[in-house]
Each structure stands twice: as C-alpha cells, then as structure tokens.
Amino acid sequence: MEADGLGLKGFPELKNDTFLRAAWGEETDYTPVWCMRQAGRYLPEFRETRAAQDFFSTCRSPEACCELTLQPLRRFPLDAAIIFSDILVVPQALGMEVTMVPGKGPSFPEPLREERDLERLRDPAVVASELGYVFQAITLTRQRLAGRVPLIGFAGAPWTLMAYMVEGGGSSTMAQAKRWLYQRPQASHQLLRILTDALIPYLVGQVVAGAQALQLFESHAGHLGPHLFNKFALPYIRDVAKQVKARLQEAGLAPVPMIIFAKDGHFALEELAEAGYEVVGLDWTVAPKKARRRLDSW
C-alpha cells in the first residue's frame, strides 16, 4: 500500500531502506546497524527528558516518545529507529497496575496468584483501543523521521508478559511463573491465549499507524528449557506471526518484516527459524557465524 513519494497516511518516501532489504533477505551494500536500546539510557539528553515525568507517563506521551526515539539518530548514522515504548503497556491495557520503581524495575502491586485472578483481566479485544497513545507516537515519529530510516514497532511475547504478570516483576528464576506452568497448565494456556489475542490487533495497529517492521521480544525464553519452551512459548510465538500477517493481508496492507528475539533461547534457534518470522535475533551469548551454520543446514 506504500507508494512512491507519499505512502500510507501521507508518510514521506523512505530514503534508506537498507535495514528493510536486509530483513527481507535481500542483498545490501553494507550490514545495517540499529540499537535495540535505541531509546538511549546512554544519552544525557535521554536522561534529561525522562527526568521530567515518570516512566509510564512518558510512554503515554506521543510527543515524549517521538523525541526519545529520534535522539539517537541525531548522534549516530543508524539504519533504523525503534519506537520508545514498553512491553508492559499490554498488561496495563488488560487492567493490571504496573509501576516502574527506580533502581528495581517494573512492579505489579497485585500480580496474578490464583487461577481466578484471570477474571480480573479485561477482554483482550479492547487492548488495542486502550493503546491509542502508542499508535499516535508511531504516526508522529514516522512523520518526523521524514523518511530518513524505517521505524520498528514491537511487543513482548506472551510467555514473557505472563512471567511478569504472575511473578509481579523481574526475577532471576521466574519461579512463581514457572510454578503456574507445572501446577496450572490449563490456566497458563488460557492466560497465554488472552495475551496472544491482545497482541495480534496491537501489532497490526502499529503497522496501520506507520511501523515498517515489527519485533516480538521473548525476553524470558532462557527461563524455560526446550520442553517448556516448545509447549508454552513457541506455539504462541508462531500464532502471533501467522495471525498478524493474515490480518495485514485481509486489511489490504503491505506485509512488513517480523523479527523474533528470544533472549537466551539458543536451544530453540531452529524452531524459531521456522516460526514464521523473517529475522531471528541473536543475543550476546550466540556467535552469529555458528548460528548461521546451524540454520543454513536446517
């Protein structure tokens, strides 16, 4: 649906498509570079902007999100931008309270502890309408990028979101969340399905708003071994890709490349390569050449 000159929503023509061509598996003149933490904790201007209000208030301000997304591009010749937001806006949209505690990270004052706690969650169908501020931030940022580089949208994968919602925050073991998988497998699948059903329209909405690529973060893959990952994470990762692509096609929208990044998920590279994504992200523990050899022979 993009056209020369002005595309969807009248966005400026993209001048540097190296990242997108690489994501589609095409030859490029050089290896494109972008920073996953592009919002920039390393930048003094980022810290100055963030100091003005609390974290999630910043996430709900399209103007602030746009500014934080653009800051690294003013300093470095990067090939893509990733929208400033957070994966935990989805649990918030489902009705859970989430705060960002300085020095500690995300905190859920009332995490999911029992199966009946699932009744507290809103209908996943309303999540996209609750997250209009993310879509506004994407559209504003895409306009202000003026075609310089593509804009990446993102979300957390179902298992990663579930882990936070059950654990109540970050954890070195995710013991509470893993206990759910063992002791409440049916309720776990119910929660994972709720999250998947919320993520699909949310990611489609990001593309409608102007995102030119999508990344799914399975940040807590490493807390699961191959068996639990294949049972509770991988099926939903696959379904997100399948359904997002189908809905984009149904809406008459051009496809966008999708990236799956499963932190510490080195044990599942082959499965992730067949999960319906154009790009498999690697973390720092995986040697790219070895990963390439594994997947080339797969």
Side-chain angles (χ1 to χ4, degrees):
M1 202 164 181
E2 293 270 350
D4 291 338
L6 294 179
L8 188 66
K9 292 196 176 184
F11 292 130
E13 182 179 5
L14 184 60
K15 301 182 183 76
N16 177 358
D17 66 350
T18 306
F19 169 83
L20 293 181
R21 287 191 287 117
W24 285 118
E26 299 174 10
E27 290 289 330
T28 59
D29 296 332
Y30 62 92
T31 301
V33 175
W34 67 286
C35 297
M36 208 181 310
R37 285 210 179 272
Q38 201 163 319
R41 297 181 185 183
Y42 50 88
L43 297 182
E45 58 266 40
F46 168 84
R47 293 192 292 271
E48 184 179 337
T49 304
R50 276 279 297 107
Q53 54 188 341
D54 72 80
F55 180 79
F56 285 111
S57 293
T58 302
C59 290
R60 287 188 287 271
S61 167
E63 189 69 40
C65 290
C66 177
E67 168 60 22
L68 290 168
T69 302
L70 296 177
Q71 283 179 354
L73 291 166
R74 298 187 185 120
R75 285 182 177 251
F76 309 115
L78 301 168
D79 293 292
I82 185 166
I83 194 67
F84 180 86
S85 186
D86 194 82
I87 65 172
L88 298 182
V89 297
V90 171
Q92 284 182 328
L94 284 167
M96 297 194 74
E97 181 184 355
V98 190
T99 59
M100 195 65 70
V101 180
K104 177 185 176 184
S107 176
F108 290 69
E110 296 184 52
L112 304 176
R113 286 289 183 245
E114 304 292 337
E115 188 169 344
R116 63 176 178 271
D117 290 340
L118 297 181
E119 297 172 8
R120 291 165 27 203
L121 301 179
R122 292 181 183 137
D123 183 340
V126 308
V127 165
S129 63
E130 293 285 328
L131 295 173
Y133 57 86
V134 177
F135 305 146
Q136 292 168 25
I138 288 172
T139 300
L140 179 63
T141 304
R142 177 82 186 272
Q143 294 282 7
R144 291 193 184 165
L145 277 169
R148 179 177 173 181
V149 295
L151 180 62
I152 305 168
F154 71 92
W159 154 247
T160 289
L161 296 180
M162 173 186 168
Y164 277 117
M165 293 162 73
V166 173
E167 201 72 31
S171 165
S172 61
T173 62
M174 290 294 169
Q176 297 282 354
K178 290 181 72 173
R179 185 174 291 117
W180 265 59
L181 303 184
Y182 285 113
Q183 297 182 352
R184 302 184 179 93
Q186 187 173 348
S188 295
H189 281 299
Q190 183 182 349
L191 176 53
L192 291 163
R193 173 45 54 190
I194 289 170
L195 289 163
T196 302
D197 289 346
L199 287 168
I200 292 163
Y202 177 48
L203 288 168
V204 171
Q206 291 188 37
V207 176
V208 172
Q212 293 154 287
L214 295 172
Q215 175 151 319
L216 195 69
F217 286 88
E218 189 66 283
S219 305
H220 296 318
H223 291 288
L224 304 176
H227 174 71
L228 289 179
F229 184 84
N230 289 340
K231 186 175 181 180
F232 291 104
L234 189 60
Y236 300 99
I237 288 171
R238 287 176 176 149
D239 202 34
V240 167
K242 179 181 177 181
Q243 296 299 329
V244 167
K245 291 172 186 289
R247 293 202 188 186
L248 289 175
Q249 185 175 19
E250 290 167 8
L253 294 168
V256 301
M258 296 184 68
I259 307 162
I260 177 63
F261 175 68
K263 184 176 181 294
D264 296 323
H266 48 82
F267 55 83
L269 281 182
E270 291 82 0
E271 290 81 0
L272 290 167
E274 293 192 334
Y277 295 76
E278 283 66 42
V279 179
V280 176
L282 305 176
D283 63 34
W284 67 280
T285 67
V286 181
K289 285 186 179 179
K290 290 183 179 179
R292 173 67 72 184
R293 284 199 295 269
R294 280 173 61 180
L295 298 183
D296 279 348
S297 62
W298 180 248

